[in-house]
Amino acid sequence: GDMVERFGAFLPRTEFHCFEPDPTLGQTLERNFAGNPLVHVVQAALGDVPGKATFNINVSRPTNSLLPSAESLQPDLKKLCELVEQVEVGVTTIDEYCQVNSIEHVDVVKLDLQGYDYLALKGAEATLKNTKVVLVEVLFKEIYTGCHGFPDILNLMIGHGFKLHNLCGLHYGEADELLWADAIFVKESPASDSARVETYSSAT
C-alpha cells in the first residue's frame, strides 16, 4: 500500500482500487486501509481473461507471480524467487472490474505484476482509451518463464496512443546488464493541446 500513501499525500481526494492476490498481503492491505472509503482492496490477480489461476508465493513475497521464475536466474535472484507454496486465486481484468463496478474512467494505472503486466494491460484495452498515465514494471530479461519483455509492452502502449515518458528504478544484474525498470507512459496529447500532465482523480 505504499503507492496509495504516496499518491494520497499529493492528491488527498484520489480514489484507489488495489489488487492483491496474495491472501496474506491482501489481508494486511484491508487492515491498513480499513475505514478509508477511498481505498478499495480487491483480493484477486489481474490478467487478460477472468477466471482462476495458480499463484506462486516465493521466499521474497515481492517476487510472487502467476508465472514461475526462470531457471537461468543469477544466484541472488534465484534465492529470492525460490517457491514456498502455490495457492489458487481469482483473476479479473481491469476492463471487467470497471464494468462491474460502473467505473467510467481511470486516470492512472499502476502495475507491478512480476512478469504478468503485459497480460494485465491486454485486459485493460477499453480502460486505456481514457487513461492518462500508466506506470508499469518492464523486464529486459526473462526473470519469469513466459513473461513478455519491454519491447512487447512498449509496442502495446504505442498502439494505445501512449508515449514513453521515462524509465526509472533501473535494476542491473551481476554482469551490469539491465534486468528490469519502471516505465512511465503518458497518453499522447492532440497536436492542438499543450504538452502537460493532467491532475489525476483516481488510480488503479
Side-chain angles (χ1 to χ4, degrees):
D2 59 329
M3 292 304 297
V4 173
E5 296 177 352
R6 293 180 186 180
F7 275 106
F10 292 99
L11 304 166
R13 294 185 299 277
T14 300
E15 187 171 0
F16 296 89
H17 299 266
C18 307
F19 298 84
E20 177 52 66
D22 184 327
T24 298
L25 297 182
Q27 292 171 11
T28 300
L29 276 175
E30 288 188 335
R31 288 195 302 269
N32 289 347
F33 297 108
N36 187 337
L38 294 177
V39 180
H40 311 275
V41 177
V42 184
Q43 293 198 35
L46 289 173
D48 58 334
V49 293
K52 298 285 186 179
T54 299
F55 188 65
N56 301 295
I57 297 178
N58 300 329
V59 169
S60 175
R61 279 188 132 86
T63 70
N64 292 351
S65 178
L66 287 172
L67 298 173
S69 58
E71 291 293 331
S72 58
L73 291 178
Q74 62 189 50
D76 57 338
L77 286 179
K78 194 174 185 67
K79 183 176 181 180
L80 294 175
C81 294
E82 183 179 346
L83 182 66
V84 174
E85 64 174 318
Q86 294 179 313
V87 296
E88 185 180 73
V89 299
V91 180
T92 188
T93 71
I94 293 176
D95 283 347
E96 179 191 53
Y97 179 83
C98 289
Q99 182 178 12
V100 170
N101 292 278
S102 300
I103 299 173
E104 296 183 357
H105 74 277
V106 176
D107 291 319
V108 179
V109 171
K110 195 275 182 185
L111 299 174
D112 185 356
L113 305 183
Q114 306 305 308
Y116 223 73
D117 308 81
Y118 176 85
L119 293 178
L121 289 169
K122 291 287 288 182
E125 292 188 345
T127 304
L128 291 176
K129 292 178 181 178
N130 297 312
T131 298
K132 298 181 177 73
V133 176
V134 173
L135 299 88
V136 57
E137 183 178 69
V138 292
L139 303 180
F140 297 89
K141 186 176 181 179
E142 189 183 48
I143 297 176
Y144 297 92
T145 302
C147 66
H148 289 263
F150 172 66
D152 292 333
I153 290 181
L154 177 62
N155 289 331
L156 178 66
M157 297 307 295
I158 290 175
H160 283 292
F162 288 83
K163 64 179 180 180
L164 179 63
H165 178 72
N166 200 2
L167 289 174
C168 55
L170 278 63
H171 287 77
Y172 294 89
E174 55 189 5
D176 292 329
E177 60 180 332
L178 184 59
L179 298 180
W180 73 86
D182 294 316
I184 302 173
F185 291 95
V186 178
K187 182 64 67 72
E188 290 270 23
S189 300
S192 59
D193 291 347
S194 59
R196 62 190 180 92
V197 176
E198 300 286 349
T199 299
Y200 318 117
S201 60
S202 62
T204 296

